[in-house]
Amino acid sequence: MSSKAKLGTILGLGSARSGTHHWIVQRGTALAGLPLAIFILGLFAALKGSSEEEIRALIGFFPISVGIVLSIVVFFWHMRLGMQIIIEDYVHGRFSKPFALFFNVFWCFFWAISGIFAVVKIGLGG
Amino acid sequence: MSSQERPLSPHLQVYKPTLTMMMSIAHRATGIILYFGFSLLVLGLIGLAAGGSFYGAVWFVATSWLGSLFLIGLTWALFHHVLGGIRHFIWDMGFGFDLVQVEKMARYTVIGSLGLTLLFWGALCLL
């Protein structure tokens, strides 16, 4: 029998008792993102000043495509978790908080999925 | 989740801005900049995939004054956030909590991010 006051349980008081996974994945995506960020910077340097055909050829090149997709997945995962913390810190409205948290997920998935499809389309020559 | 207005003790109004405090704010601010900036980059990628006039618009914006400024600012934000992230990693592993070390790492982060940005864009424009 928990010694926690029943009213406290109902109101959701006390520690959330979760969040370690979030912390670990945040560091994990950051670690994975480090070489990917270098890759993206290098890709940008290679693409600067290129024609549309050259850009399409480089982005469509299979290893580069995979690198871009990996970067999109890792970066947007890291962004989603980071923005979640910011929203939890500053948004406290009864409806604005869950809405903001949901919108963050929607935003990150929208761009990530669209970006991956864009890379695949370029790679297939479309 | 009470929506009642409760009194808050003054914080930003009275706290003296320290280096570590500003570094923490900068780490979060660069994170927010990257959140929206990277999404904009993906929009450009979508424009490339769409081709035609969409790509033309992307190219026009990317090579414009504003576009170049945006990209330079974004790379600075990236360098600052990454170096700050490495600072956090060092703390997570349990090192560097001494105040002298903390201030040193903060300086390295600021100087490093500015230096790397200059290096990167200098190399891009000259090579």
Side-chain angles (χ1 to χ4, degrees), chain A residues 15-59:
Chain A
S15 161
R17 302 177 73 78
S18 79
T20 309
H21 180 77
H22 183 293
W23 191 92
I24 292 171
V25 176
Q26 187 66 323
R27 269 70 180 165
T29 51
L31 196 59
L34 193 54
L36 288 171
I38 296 171
F39 164 77
I40 290 294
L41 284 170
L43 181 66
F44 177 74
L47 287 176
K48 191 175 184 294
S50 303
S51 67
E52 183 179 350
E53 292 76 37
E54 289 170 332
I55 293 175
R56 283 178 179 281
L58 193 58
I59 293 180

Side-chain angles (χ1 to χ4, degrees), chain A:
Chain A
M1 178 77 191
S2 167
S3 64
K4 184 177 178 181
K6 290 185 172 60
L7 185 59
T9 305
I10 295 166
L11 289 175
L13 302 179
S15 161
R17 302 177 73 78
S18 79
T20 309
H21 180 77
H22 183 293
W23 191 92
I24 292 171
V25 176
Q26 187 66 323
R27 269 70 180 165
T29 51
L31 196 59
L34 193 54
L36 288 171
I38 296 171
F39 164 77
I40 290 294
L41 284 170
L43 181 66
F44 177 74
L47 287 176
K48 191 175 184 294
S50 303
S51 67
E52 183 179 350
E53 292 76 37
E54 289 170 332
I55 293 175
R56 283 178 179 281
L58 193 58
I59 293 180
F61 183 50
F62 190 74
I64 302 287
S65 299
V66 172
I68 297 175
V69 171
L70 281 173
S71 302
I72 288 175
V73 169
V74 169
F75 288 168
F76 276 101
W77 200 343
H78 187 83
M79 289 193 300
R80 180 176 70 83
L81 293 177
M83 187 53 79
Q84 179 187 333
I85 301 231
I86 294 174
I87 292 167
E88 287 170 355
D89 275 354
Y90 300 131
V91 184
H92 302 298
R94 185 164 172 221
F95 295 103
S96 49
K97 182 175 176 179
F99 176 79
L101 287 170
F102 164 76
F103 188 74
N104 172 41
V105 175
F106 175 79
W107 174 276
C108 292
F109 271 96
F110 172 80
W111 292 113
I113 300 295
S114 306
I116 292 171
F117 266 89
V119 173
V120 170
K121 183 168 192 275
I122 292 170
L124 293 175

Side-chain angles (χ1 to χ4, degrees), chain B residues 4-125:
Chain B
Q4 282 177 290
E5 289 292 320
R6 300 210 188 276
L8 260 184
S9 51
H11 46 99
L12 287 176
Q13 306 95 308
V14 296
Y15 228 94
K16 175 184 170 188
T18 59
L19 178 62
T20 47
M21 173 176 152
M22 301 318 294
M23 290 305 292
S24 177
I25 292 172
H27 192 75
R28 183 164 274 199
T30 49
I32 295 173
I33 293 170
L34 289 166
Y35 182 87
F36 292 105
F38 195 68
S39 305
L40 219 61
L41 285 185
V42 172
L43 181 64
L45 188 62
I46 293 169
L48 175 65
S53 59
F54 293 110
Y55 176 68
V58 170
W59 188 245
F60 180 75
V61 173
T63 48
S64 68
W65 252 102
L66 211 61
S68 303
L69 210 66
F70 163 76
L71 287 170
I72 295 172
L74 200 65
T75 44
W76 169 79
L78 180 65
F79 284 128
H80 195 286
H81 193 80
V82 167
L83 289 178
I86 293 173
R87 240 170 6 116
H88 277 280
F89 255 129
I90 294 173
W91 288 327
D92 288 342
M93 291 191 288
F95 302 109
F97 284 105
D98 185 78
L99 187 59
V100 174
Q101 292 171 306
V102 167
E103 305 235 323
K104 242 196 224 174
M105 288 201 294
R107 276 175 232 285
Y108 289 162
T109 301
V110 175
I111 296 169
S113 65
L114 286 168
L116 281 171
T117 307
L118 284 167
L119 260 171
F120 181 72
W121 282 97
L124 264 187
C125 296

